[in-house]
Amino acid sequence: MKILVIYDSYFGNTERIALAIKDSIPENKHVVVKKISDFDSSDLEGVEVIIIGSPTRAFRPTEAITNFLKRSI
Ligand SMILES: Cc1cc2nc3c(=O)[nH]c(=O)nc-3n(C[C@H](O)[C@H](O)[C@H](O)COP(=O)(O)O)c2cc1C
C-alpha cells in the first residue's frame, strides 16, 4: 500500500508532524512525504491513501494546499 503525505509549512511545525506521521506508519507500508511545492502529479501513481497537512493561515489552509484540494476534488 502506498501512502502519500502532502504538507505545506512555513516555520516547520507541520513538516515535523508530517514526518512524525511517516514514522508512525509500519515499515511494510510505502510512505512518501512531499512538501506541496515539490509535488508532481506523478506522485499520485499507485497511491491508496493521501494524508494532507497545512498550517492554518487566517482561518484557512495555505493557498497551495487549497489549490491542490480544488484540483483534486
Ligand atoms: C500570518 C499567520 C496567520 C495565522 N493564522 C492562524 C489562524 O487563523 N488560526 C490559527 O489557529 N493559527 C494561525 N496561525 C498560526 C500557525 O498556523 C501556526 O504557527 C502553525 O503551527 C504554523 O505551521 P508551520 O510551522 O508548519 O508553518 C497563523 C500564523 C501566521 C504567521
Side-chain angles (χ1 to χ4, degrees):
M1 175 191 284
K2 183 176 171 186
I3 300 169
L4 178 62
V5 181
I6 298 179
Y7 70 94
D8 202 359
S9 188
Y10 288 92
F11 304 112
N13 295 310
T14 314
E15 182 171 61
R16 277 197 289 278
I17 292 167
L19 294 172
I21 289 170
K22 180 184 192 312
D23 288 346
S24 74
I25 294 172
E27 287 182 11
N28 63 345
K29 310 279 191 248
H30 179 202
V31 187
V32 175
V33 179
K34 274 274 170 128
K35 190 166 184 179
I36 189 71
S37 55
D38 298 328
F39 171 77
D40 181 88
S41 57
S42 65
D43 293 322
L44 292 172
E45 280 171 26
V47 167
E48 293 178 66
V49 175
I50 302 179
I51 299 169
I52 302 171
S54 175
T56 305
R57 304 276 287 196
F59 308 104
R60 305 181 65 87
T62 65
E63 188 178 357
I65 291 291
T66 300
N67 289 339
F68 172 79
L69 290 167
K70 282 182 180 166
R71 283 199 310 274
S72 305
I73 293 172

